[in-house]
Amino acid sequence: QQQVRQSPQSLTVWEGETAILNCSYENSAFDYFPWYQQFPGEGPALLIAIRSVSDKKEDGGFTIFFNKREKNLSLHIKDSQPGDSATYFCAASLGNNRIFFGDGTQLVVKP
Amino acid sequence: NAGVIQTPRHKVTGKGQEATLWCEPISGHSAVFWYRQTIVQGLEFLTYFRNQAPIDDSGMPKERFSAQMPNQSHSTLKIQSTQPQDSAVYLCASSSGQGTGQLYFGEGSKLTVL
């Protein structure tokens, strides 16, 4: 059973729009939810993360909205730029244990 | 401060040959993870070590794959008798083990099995 699910699989937006990437998870005990950004030829890199005690986390143009009751979260990328085109992975973990990754959303921002 | 270093970046092997991939974690990090990434399967967890001890190898194929961490400065992933389906990017990541769940990934080793 997949622990973390992401949608959509791919997303295309125009420059300046807000991109919304969705994520849901199975284990209600997960308490840490990082989002990773990956460019072609590189490893994933931590973009922003939230703990389950919070319902919102902002960092620059990136915002996570977290709904513990519904076991889902979303990443909003405000004023998307072509340089934001990448694959975004939602992940979840519990304490100091392994991190479970979703299958990723491939974002394309068109100029 | 160097990040996670993986070598080689690219490796091409013939079917049936052995492939060994190396990972040098960030100095001071106590946890090392191995993932495999393909277009079809996405990011697949393979195994991880904490303080050099194997903690969870539930993602490792039972045959032909093995991982070791002989010291705190490097880990290896060995694939014996490689098969075309082993072709993938193998990613190593390390974390401080402080419970934040933040992984620092290397750039990966792209394995191509002909």
Side-chain angles (χ1 to χ4, degrees), chain A residues 6-11 103-107, chain B residues 39:
Chain A
Q6 290 186 246
S7 65
Q9 189 173 14
S10 61
L11 176 65
D103 288 338
T105 292
Q106 188 171 6
L107 174 67
Chain B
I39 291 174

Side-chain angles (χ1 to χ4, degrees), chain A residues 19-73:
Chain A
I20 300 175
L21 288 64
N22 301 302
C23 178
S24 63
Y25 59 96
E26 290 295 322
N27 188 345
S28 57
F30 286 143
D31 62 359
Y32 178 72
F33 302 87
W35 285 83
Y36 285 80
Q37 179 188 56
Q38 185 178 30
F39 295 106
E42 299 180 8
L46 180 68
L47 180 66
I48 185 173
I50 193 168
R51 294 208 171 272
S52 60
V53 294
S54 301
D55 56 14
K56 184 180 176 182
K57 177 75 176 290
E58 286 184 84
D59 187 353
F62 301 95
T63 303
I64 300 174
F65 292 93
F66 180 72
N67 187 323
K68 188 170 184 175
R69 186 173 61 85
E70 299 292 330
K71 294 195 292 184
N72 61 44
L73 59 158

Side-chain angles (χ1 to χ4, degrees), chain B residues 73-84:
Chain B
S73 63
H74 92 274
S75 175
T76 59
L77 179 68
K78 183 182 292 186
I79 309 171
Q80 295 178 309
S81 185
T82 54
Q83 303 297 310

Side-chain angles (χ1 to χ4, degrees), chain B residues 1-14:
Chain B
N1 189 12
V4 174
I5 298 172
Q6 290 190 250
T7 55
R9 289 295 315 278
H10 302 274
K11 185 171 182 67
V12 179
T13 67

Side-chain angles (χ1 to χ4, degrees), chain B residues 88-104:
Chain B
V89 175
Y90 290 84
L91 290 161
C92 176
S94 70
S95 78
S96 64
Q98 296 301 314
T100 63
Q102 180 172 350
L103 299 183
Y104 295 82

Side-chain angles (χ1 to χ4, degrees), chain B residues 40-90:
Chain B
V40 174
Q41 297 292 335
L43 262 174
E44 291 180 275
F45 168 80
L46 295 177
T47 185
Y48 91 95
F49 298 84
R50 189 182 301 138
N51 295 321
Q52 299 173 233
I55 301 299
D56 180 352
D57 67 352
S58 59
M60 290 280 274
K62 296 307 176 193
E63 298 177 356
R64 302 187 296 106
F65 282 65
S66 62
Q68 294 183 330
M69 191 161 184
N71 56 60
Q72 64 184 9
S73 63
H74 92 274
S75 175
T76 59
L77 179 68
K78 183 182 292 186
I79 309 171
Q80 295 178 309
S81 185
T82 54
Q83 303 297 310
Q85 62 264 30
D86 298 331
S87 297
V89 175
Y90 290 84

